[in-house]
Amino acid sequence: MKVLGFAAQSATTSLEPFSFTRRDTRDDDVVIDILYCGVCHTDLHLARNHGGFTTYPIVPGHEIIGRVSEVGAQVTQFRVDQLVGVGCMVDSCQKCQPCQHGWEQNCSEGSTFTYNSKDRRDGSVTFGGYSQSIVVREEFVLSIPAGLDPAGAAPLLCAGVTTWSPLLHWNIGAGSKVAVIGLGGLGHMALKLAKALGADVSLFTRSEGKSEDAFRLGADHVVVSSDPEQMSAVNGQFDVIIDTVPYDHDINPYLPTLALEGVLVLVGYMGPLSTAVNAGMLVSGRKAVTGSFIGGVKETQQMLDFCGEKGIVSDIEIIPLQKINEAYDRMSKSDVKYRFVIDMASLNV
Ligand code: NAP
Ligand code: ZN
Ligand code: ZN
């Protein structure tokens, strides 16, 4: 099937229209006409080859909402016309221990990601959601609860589950104290989800001007991280800190704000931290610095169902695909409230 999308051809060129072919439908495939796709900071990292492992051309996009247009002969869970989602993964081995556990993102053989990855059956490079349609193995398709705005639900597929998974793993609920570093796509979902789980929620931000929004999104407290007085006022407070900062940064200023046995969970930055962690701050309070990577299919569906019950969606700015390069520039400046979502109908005009 011929499909139109937008691709980057190199780390330094903008995204431009790109035609390519989606594979023929396999027996266990679901074919999806894409309605909306969220714009994650990972898309920008990979389009610009920040990690050094991008294959060009790259069609980013892993916060996909669409309607089923066709199903393979063995598909049982989905029907034509159903509203569905696809997140960061489209396949995994399904057999290893992590896969059996529902942690397909940690598949021992390596999961197949929605873009910039190798299809495990035919070896082709996967192309993501900045496009008209996608073909996905049934096991990696999510159902979208009725009543959720489809455009606002798109960011749940990555920003939602990436913040949900650590909140659940560290048993966040009533009585927990959670802090979130950075109010962007992941950060605003972390505020909403932690609040809905019953926690007392704080935001660390560099941007004083985001306070009002933070309170509206679920924060009980806002701490401007550049203000030492505000930082010391929250000493020893937090059970869990979710750190969404996308670039190398010093995490030491946050460690004193953890409670005894508290954990700082890195979800934003995946490279080496250039400022060494002060071990004394960990040792003296049995504190930990850890990380978390997206989430499995089952927990993604749980998160979607939770959002369906609570009426939680992302706060979005809808853009046509033709504005994607401007959106990247604005995202680089932390100027988005709080997720860009591409309206794929823009490809039809
Ligand atoms: P985003 O919308 O750009 O938000 C990031 C926020 O971090 C900004 O709004 C800003 O908040 C703060 N920030 C930005 N640059 C900073 C800097 N240099 N120092 C301190 N704070 C900074 O990005 P996103 O889509 O939420 O993604 C965040 C990161 O998570 C990206 O690196 C992305 O690749 C990664 N990610 C990881 C996973 C995973 O599985 N672990 C999944 C998805 C995304 P303030 O203005 O409030 O300070
Ligand atoms: Zn993402
Ligand atoms: Zn596996």
Side-chain angles (χ1 to χ4, degrees):
M1 175 186 19
K2 270 267 175 226
V3 173
L4 183 61
F6 265 50
Q9 299 285 349
S10 80
T12 51
T13 48
S14 47
L15 278 78
E16 302 291 346
F18 173 65
S19 285
F20 59 101
T21 305
R22 291 284 185 199
R23 68 166 181 258
D24 292 337
T25 314
R26 300 169 184 151
D27 281 354
D28 55 351
D29 272 340
V30 176
V31 185
I32 301 162
D33 283 341
I34 301 176
L35 296 170
Y36 298 102
C37 185
V39 179
C40 179
H41 208 112
T42 302
D43 301 348
L44 186 158
H45 283 319
L46 284 166
R48 299 193 174 159
N49 201 17
H50 290 165
F53 55 88
T54 301
T55 305
Y56 293 97
I58 181 173
V59 177
H62 59 203
E63 293 185 336
I64 297 166
I65 295 277
R67 279 202 190 279
V68 176
S69 61
E70 189 191 331
V71 292
Q74 284 167 17
V75 168
T76 57
Q77 304 299 312
F78 298 96
R79 52 175 172 73
V80 170
D81 253 3
Q82 190 173 342
L83 191 67
V84 294
V86 179
C88 302
M89 295 176 286
V90 288
D91 207 352
S92 75
C93 87
Q94 305 277 291
K95 294 189 194 89
C96 70
Q97 231 179 356
C99 279
Q100 292 284 313
H101 204 284
W103 296 336
E104 298 89 348
Q105 74 277 26
N106 307 123
C107 175
S108 327
E109 294 183 11
S111 13
T112 307
F113 297 103
T114 306
Y115 63 85
N116 196 50
S117 200
K118 261 209 172 94
D119 183 289
R120 54 203 321 115
R121 293 191 219 175
D122 64 21
S124 62
V125 174
T126 56
F127 290 131
Y130 297 4
S131 60
Q132 290 169 312
S133 66
I134 191 164
V135 185
V136 180
R137 180 178 181 176
E138 174 179 32
E139 284 84 349
F140 289 80
V141 179
L142 287 307
S143 49
I144 303 302
L148 285 185
D149 168 50
L156 301 179
L157 277 311
C158 173
V161 71
T162 301
T163 50
W164 171 262
S165 182
L167 292 171
L168 267 275
H169 182 79
W170 277 281
N171 299 313
I172 293 308
S176 311
K177 285 194 159 193
V178 175
V180 175
I181 311 179
L183 188 56
L186 265 57
H188 94 292
M189 286 314 308
L191 293 184
K192 289 186 186 218
L193 293 170
K195 188 66 189 171
L197 287 165
D200 181 82
V201 187
S202 298
L203 172 73
F204 288 113
T205 178
R206 306 161 304 167
S207 315
E208 215 165 343
K210 290 184 181 174
S211 294
E212 203 178 302
D213 281 349
F215 289 121
R216 179 177 53 76
L217 293 164
D220 299 289
H221 319 275
V222 174
V223 181
V224 177
S225 49
S226 52
D227 179 344
E229 263 179 45
Q230 291 192 36
M231 291 297 281
S232 56
V234 290
N235 247 339
Q237 298 257 321
F238 304 116
D239 303 308
V240 171
I241 299 176
I242 310 272
D243 182 341
T244 77
V245 175
Y247 298 96
D248 183 22
H249 59 291
D250 182 6
I251 62 170
N252 289 297
Y254 300 100
L255 300 179
T257 74
L258 286 171
L260 292 181
E261 303 195 324
V263 293
L264 183 144
V265 188
L266 290 160
V267 295
Y269 176 65
M270 300 203 186
L273 293 168
S274 58
T275 308
V277 174
N278 181 343
M281 284 197 270
L282 304 180
V283 172
S284 58
R286 209 193 293 263
K287 298 175 184 179
V289 175
T290 179
S292 187
F293 182 51
I294 44 180
V297 175
K298 196 167 156 209
E299 63 186 330
T300 305
Q301 191 63 59
Q302 283 168 346
M303 175 274 311
L304 288 166
D305 294 343
F306 178 83
C307 289
E309 276 164 37
K310 305 271 182 184
I312 296 174
V313 287
S314 171
D315 281 31
I316 59 169
E317 286 188 45
I318 294 191
I319 55 163
L321 190 41
Q322 294 79 358
K323 290 257 158 100
I324 188 64
N325 298 301
E326 272 169 53
Y328 279 9
D329 290 344
R330 281 187 52 200
M331 188 159 62
S332 302
K333 296 180 201 137
S334 305
D335 174 25
V336 45
K337 293 188 169 178
Y338 280 91
R339 196 58 139 186
F340 290 113
V341 170
I342 301 160
D343 181 352
M344 223 50 70
S346 57
L347 274 178
N348 304 329
V349 291

